[in-house]
Structures are given as structure tokens and as C-alpha cells.
Amino acid sequence: MIKIGDEESSIEYFPSTEELPAVISNILEENEEVVVSIKSDISDLKYGEDTLVLTNKRVLIVRDNNIIRNIPLKEIESVEVNRYVGSLVLKAKTESGIKSLISYTRTRAKYFEKIIMLINDLTLNQIPYYIVRKHLKEQVEEINKKNSKRKILARMISFAKPFWHLMVATLALMMFSTIIGLLPPYLMKILIDQVLVPQKNFHLLMYIVLGLLSINLTLTILGVINGYLSLKLNQSLTYRIRKILFEKLQRLSLAFYDKYSTGSLISRIVDDVNRVQTFLTQSLGLIIIDITTIAFIGVILFSLSSWLSLIALIPIPVSYIGTTIYRKFSRRYYHRLWRKWSYVITVLTENITSNIVVKTFGKEKDMFKKFTRSLTEFIGMNFSVFKFEQKFWPAIGFSFTISSLLIWWIGGLKVLSGELSLGSLTAFTSYMWRFYQPINRLVNNLRVLQRATISGERIFEIIDADLEVKDEDDAQDFEFKGHIEYKKVWFTYDGIYYALRNVNLKVKPGEHIGIVGPSGSGKSTLVKLLLRLYEPQRGDILIDGVKINKIKLEAIKRQVAIVMQNPRLFSASIAENISLGKENVTLEEIITAAKAAKAHDFIMKLPEAYDTHVGLNGSRLSGGERQRIAIAAAILKNPKILILDEPTSALDAITEEEVTEAIDNLTRGRTTFIIAHRLSTLRNVDKIIVMDRGGIVEEGTHEELMKKDGLYKKLYESQFKGFLKQQKKVEEIVAK
Amino acid sequence: MQSRFVRETMTSIEEWIKQLRILDPKRVRVYEAFVDTVNMEINGKIYCNVKPRRPFPYTHPEYIIFFAEDDTELGILTDYRKLDRMSRKRLERVLKIIYYIPQIKRIIKLDTTKSRYEWEIETDKGVVVIKTWSRCTRWLPNGKLLIYDVDGNVYIVEDISKLDPKSRAYLDIVA
Ligand SMILES: Nc1ncnc2c1ncn2[C@@H]1O[C@H](COP(=O)(O)OP(=O)(O)OP(=O)(O)O)[C@@H](O)[C@H]1O
Ligand SMILES: [Mg+2]
């Protein structure tokens, strides 16, 4: 019934019985409803189609109209995916062990992700079916609304709505110019037939010359006015679209940014907006005008001579077929050309950005060879494109020449026999060329339309993205005391792997929590959720008893500060970066914060001191320096809740000691999370939680955890052993 | 875990600020200026070879921090212009060499045809020819404009609106 995605019918929600494998309908029980059916593209180790059918009671796998798996949802604990080189395998964890369900290629992975979440919601997360159903129905409707091509065109045009008067004005001007532009050949006809050939009517000669002059003048003036109006329309339109996009981008959550690369977002804002803008301001008008012109001139041509008109039509199918073939082949050629060029660029960027690698491994010569080879290949390709082009255009041009020669021949005969006036023949040939022009342009502009629709689609993908972090209407703003609670929180970035699994945690105001655990265990994720950078799929996070999605984002941003693992700085001065956390800071506050974060000394050693520009993303500073500037900014913010994600990881031991002291000062009386790999950083915390694979596995003070003989003790001992080893080495060296 | 008792109150920035040594300009005196150091008296005590530094050289050039020979911080002067006339003059001599930032008064010529732009500029320190990359400017929040040359020297335009129209037209090309 309902189809999603470009791969037609690979996934169907609430399908009707005809759309399902026949076996399914036979075994459906009463009250059993098919939620979704999805087709894989691998079956029995080859390309093929297995179907997964999810009902509200079980998961079924169908191959060649046989049910090969039939597992009640009640028996499933959860489903998960194993990713391999060319394939993914979906598995179900059941009471009787893990069972493989279905395999598919990466092409289908994005569709299966949705199914996996769905099954996990029904099994692992124990969400009642009626809630899942309601949610799903809403989503499906939403997607259906967005997916129509014709709607995209209408929506694109709606961008120009505030400027409709400009659009109408330019269109009217263009139309008017075109019509006036059609007059001269007709005046020429009169000139030849009534003045030149009969050699009389001299007053008419003067009128016609004056007429031609005024037409020319009018066209020039209209051209200038039109140019100005178009530019204005152009600029207002791009401004509007880019503004809409940028505003939307700022409201989107980090989850959105994880999905799209920076490059692709920038290309949408720059290239796609340009394409849509060009289409709306130029091509759209031209399409309308060209269609009218073609009709108009067509009528004139036929009224001048219907015989000649038929001959004039000959080259049109020839050139249409020609360009179609041309496009088919040229795409291959140009694609190859583009690939060669992008290879040149790749070699170049690689060499510049990874220059340190090239240098340290002494690979300069190899890189040089690679570069010159890529250039030679690109040049070679350019020549083959040229050769190819030379085969086509002359041939098509020739068909036009032939038809115009035919017209001179037949038309000439008719003039000689007195059937046609000389003026009509000249008018005819000059109208004929004006007839071809809009046809060619129309074909081109229809292609622009096609491309603009694709760009429009990409723009609307951003505008319609619902990964937005929004304030609810009844969101509150209040001063935090610092009480925090995580209640059964589940979170996944990609819909497959849960980075947090059923996290429960209570923190009292002013309490200091240390978080430790292996890399990838979800420590950073845990704290990011508190800032509402992402929203958990299940469960609640509360600050002072209020769910965080009911707290104004602004209130959270103001009272919670985070020092990230790899802090990014703004491309601005050090002073500006430190004062990000507070408005109207005094110079003394900036200096004090920097001193507390042990940044003042290194800043004062820079010639431009606090006015030093940090470069793009802070690239002109070292990791440890960036970290200390971020800490200074957090100190200035004076937050109620403070999050430090490995605040000292990039520092040497002495500076770490100093910064830890600064942090102790800073965190006094504030609810604080400190994530640390070096357990020594955590000596002053009230409680340590130990995370492993998305869950909290141990909790307690250092002493309590050491008694437990669990993961914490292991982590501690491995670090301590390393330390002892080092100490031994130092002693050996000293002994010598 | 032993520190729970000290954590009763939040320390905020206001408390820490009190630890800064802000100097009273009436109790600071500069006696002698060498090329880049001064001999001076702070709160009745004499210090030799003191290094004055501007923490905000562009945005708040009046703000000075004094460092002793061994780099310990002696104190902060929030506006050195409040010193007595002679002290101020001596200090300025030193600052003028430490912060050698010519002020651009006029742009005589700007050649953008090469990859390194060539400028002929009139500054408060004389006329010079400099070379810059095409991206060489930085706007300060207070509306001043910095120009960096290829060697890292800095030139400043204090107030664009006071430049003559031709100089401004040249600046429009790069900034
Ligand atoms: N932006 C993201 N998109 C997709 N997956 C992510 C993203 N960030 C983290 N993950 C995944 O989530 C899991 C938890 O990551 P997280 O950053 O919370 O780990 P961590 O405990 O902080 O590790 P580390 O000690 O290395 O910082 C990891 O498996 C990681 O690969
Ligand atoms: Mg982390």
C-alpha cells in the first residue's frame, strides 16, 4: 500500500494481502496484523529476494513462498546486525540462542535500519504495539506528503512568492521584448515588396527606417531595465533561500550533522541554491517565453508559406534525435573527464593535507610521479572529448544547412514563378532562424528544470528534516539546583547500535561524579544527552525533577557547561573565545579565568597575547592549549552543572596537576561530571560510575570499587602497573 | 573523597578576581627606560629590568601587565595613561618598540596583479613598501583593521573613515 524510498516497493508498511507472499495470508491469526514487509537482495548466498514480514506477533522470513523462519516476538530479546564486507546479517537474540534471520547488501541497509528499530521497540524496549502503530502511521503519512515531484516544483516556485511582482515584471518585459523583436523581418518584407522592388513609396522608406531605429532603441532600454530587475530578483531570492536554510541548520540537532558530511551541506547551501535560483530567475521565464514564441512564429511561418514551413521543420527531429544520442555518449565522456579531474584534485589535496606523512616517509618523488601521471591522463581525456565532439556538431549543423538550401531553392523557384513575393521569402528565412533558437533553448531549459528539481529535492531534504531540537510550548526556565536523574535511558546514534542501554543514575546537587570505562563505552554520549545535543529514543533525563525536554534550551545552555574531549574553538581571538560563556565580561574576568585554567602564562608568551587569532577551529594552538582555553570559558560561565570530558587528556603531567587543582576550585559546590581515563584525576570525586558497552556496570567510591574486584579494579591495576614499570625503569637509569 | 567538606560553597569568578594585583597608578613610577625594559617602583619597592606587556595589544592597548626579570607577575595597570607624565613617557618609549605596529595613514599604491600584493603605504613611522598575501586582513571588534604582511609584521588602520577616498578604495579590494 505505502511505499518508501527510491527502491520501489522494497519496503511496505501495512501492506494489503495482495502485496504479500501468498503463504503469509494463510497463516495469519485473528488479531494479527502485518506491520511491515521488507525485501532483501540476497537469498541463499546469491542475489535474490527473501522477505521479512513483521506482524504484531512475530517475525517471519519467506523464501520462494516458503516460510523459512517463524519466531514469535515474545521469544525475541532483541535484534542486531553484523556488518561484513559486502553484506549485513540481521540476527535475533532469543531464549534458545542467536538466530540469523536475513542477509542483505549495504544498498538495503538504510531500509533495514528502520525495521531493526521497530522490532527492538516491540521486544527489547517493551513498547506496547498500539503506541508503535500510531507513531508509525504518522511517520508514513509525513513521508508520503513530501515525496511528490510536482510538489517540489510548486514548492520551489513558492520560494519566490515574496517577490512575485518582480517575477511578473521581468516576465512581462521579456514577453514584450520578444514580440517587438519579431517585427523587423516583417518591416523588411514591406520594405522589399512595397518600396525596393516597385521603386516607389519613398515616404514609406523613411517610416520603416525610423520604425527599425525605434524598435532597436526600445529593445536596448528594455534590456537594461530587465537586467536590473533580474539581478534584484536573483539576489533577493538567493538571500531568502540561504537564510531559510541557515536558520534551519542551526536548529538541527547534532544527530543531523552526523548524518551529512560538512562538504555535502555546504554544497547544498552553495551549489544547489544556485541551481534553483538560476532556474527560477532565468530558465522558468524563458520556458514560458519560448513556448509562446514558438507558437507565434509557427503561425507566421505557415501564413507566409505552408510548403516552405514543412521543409523548415525537417531538421528538428534530426537535431532532437542527434542531441539525444549525443547526450547519452557525452555523459560517458564527460563523466570520465570529471573523474580524471577529481583524481588530480585528490592527489593534490592528499599531498597538501598529509604533507607531514609524505615528508616523514620520504614519499615526495612517488607523489610527484602520481601527480604528473594524473595530469597527463586528464589532458589525454580532454583530447578524446574534443575528437568526440567533432563527430557530432558538424553533422547536426549540416542538416540545418541542407534545409535552408532547400528553402532557398524551392522558395527561389516560387519567387521566379511569381507565386511568392521576394519580401515574403526574406521574411520567411529570417523568421525561420528565429524559430530554431527558442526550440534549442527550450530543450536546454527543460534539462535545467530537471536538474533544478533534483537540487530542490536536496534543499527540501534539509528544510524538512525533523531532527530538530525544539522547545516545547510549555518549556520552563528556572534556576537549577543541580539535581540530575537518568531514568531507563536508551540511545542510539545510527539506529542499530545502542550507545546507551538502560542507564539509571541519580546525582545530588553539588555531587561530583567520576565516569570511567573503556573507549567507546558511552561516557561522552551519556553527558552529551544532558545538554540536549541529542534526544534519547527511550527513557527520561531530569534536572531538578523536570524532564529536560520540558526545560527551555536556553536555560540548559546557560547553566550547563561542557569542556569537550577535543574542544573546538571559534575562529576569533583568544579573548573572544574565553568570553563566549558570558556577556559583558570585564578584562579582569578574562584574565582571572585564564589564570584559573592555567592558560594565562602561555597566552602572555604570545606576542599578540589575548588578542591572538586562534585560526580556523583553533588550529594555531596545541591540543592542550585549546583545552585550557575551553576550561577558562567554562569557568567564566559560572555554571550550575559542569561536564568535563577528559579535561586533562592532552596535558603533560605537571600541567595536568595544576589544571586538576584549578578544576577542584572550579567545581566546588557544583554538580560535576568528570570523565577520565587517568584515574588519578578522579581522586576528589564523591562517586565513580564504571561504564561498559553502553551500560553502568559498577558504581561507588574508589574504596568500594576496589573491594568489588570488577572492571574498575582491572582498569586501576593496569594503570598502576604501568606506573610501577615506569618507576622501575627510572630507578634503573638513576642507578647507572 | 576527603574533600567533601570544602565543597559547601561555589567559588565564583568574583572571588578569584580579588586575587589579581591591580595597581594604583599613583603608586607606580617608571624611572628609566631601556630598549625593551624599564626600572620602576611599585608600591614603594624598586624593580629593575621589568618587562611591560599588553595582554590586549589591539583591543585595549592601555592595559599593561608588568613582569619581573624572572617572569613573575608584578601587577596589572588597567590604564597606563593615568601614570604621571614622565613615567608615562618612559613607558611609552618601551611599548613603542615592543609593539612596533605602524599606523597606516595613506595607501599610495596597491598592486594586486601578482600573487603577493605589493603595497606602498604611508605610516606614522614613515613610507614603506610591503608585501602581503591576498588574504591579509583582520577586522577587530572595535572596527580597527589589521594588515599582516608575508613576514608576519602587523600594520593597523585605526579609523578607516578618516582615510582619503583613494586609500579606502584600495582597502575595499582586500578587506
Ligand atoms: N556521532 C556519532 N555517530 C555514530 N556513532 C557514534 C557517534 N559518537 C559516538 N558513537 C558511537 O557510540 C559509542 C559510544 O561512544 P562514546 O563517544 O560515548 O564513547 P566514550 O566512552 O566517550 O569513548 P572514549 O573514551 O573513546 O571517548 C561508540 O561505539 C561510538 O562509536
Ligand atoms: Mg569520549
Side-chain angles (χ1 to χ4, degrees), chain A residues 523-524 565 645-646 675:
Chain A
K523 307 182 292 292
S524 302
Q565 212 163 359
D645 193 348
E646 297 191 35
I675 300 174

Side-chain angles (χ1 to χ4, degrees), chain B residues 1 4 13 54 62 71 117 121 125-126 143 170:
Chain B
M1 279 129 265
R4 200 164 301 169
I13 194 98
R54 285 177 166 147
E62 73 284 355
D71 280 341
Y117 293 177
I121 49 176
K125 301 183 198 302
Y170 276 136

